Amino acid sequence: NNWDYFDLMGTNVIEFNYKQMTCAELSESMARREDEDEDQCHRMKDEYFDACCDTKCSLCGDKGLDAGVQVSYEGRMMTCLELDLSLGPAAIELDSEQCNAITGQYQDRC
């Protein structure tokens, strides 16, 4: 099974059924109703993915991160966890050239 993991951007506001709600509220609503209509769930995920799911670069994806290992990135010493967390605010997208370069360099150590 090749699953990708994305962070929920819970405070983003979307329109659903003609009313404003946050992505966190939509996610909670979907989780409560998931068994009711699987097709509807898939349609909603497709429709709201771009607005609600963060496609930030991740050092290790779902492989697990050795969070405490120290690495040097852009001249600063930091842990793998700090490096991984810094990729989101830096707006480095998953599968971009910059993401691939960073993961290629640090994936084995982290």
Side-chain angles (χ1 to χ4, degrees), residues 7-102:
D7 292 327
L8 178 67
M9 297 185 294
T11 58
N12 284 9
V13 177
I14 48 100
E15 185 174 309
F16 177 70
N17 285 345
Y18 306 103
K19 64 180 187 181
Q20 301 282 313
M21 67 170 43
T22 66
C23 290
E25 291 167 332
L26 177 63
S27 177
E28 187 177 310
S29 170
M30 287 174 59
R32 285 194 304 263
R33 298 186 317 194
E34 189 168 356
D35 294 336
E36 289 179 25
D37 184 353
E38 193 171 318
D39 288 339
Q40 181 186 18
C41 182
H42 287 293
R43 283 193 307 274
M44 288 173 63
K45 285 178 182 176
D46 289 343
E47 185 173 342
Y48 294 101
F49 180 85
D50 289 340
C52 292
C53 299
D54 184 7
T55 56
K56 79 172 184 71
C57 183
S58 174
L59 278 181
C60 298
D62 62 343
K63 296 181 190 122
L65 182 70
D66 198 349
V69 172
Q70 291 280 324
V71 294
S72 175
Y73 177 67
E74 294 183 339
R76 290 186 18 234
M77 289 303 292
M78 61 179 66
T79 65
C80 290
L81 177 61
E82 289 169 327
L83 174 57
D84 190 60
L85 291 173
S86 73
L87 301 177
I92 299 172
E93 290 286 317
L94 187 66
D95 294 327
S96 67
E97 280 186 37
Q98 191 176 10
C99 178
N100 293 338
I102 293 169

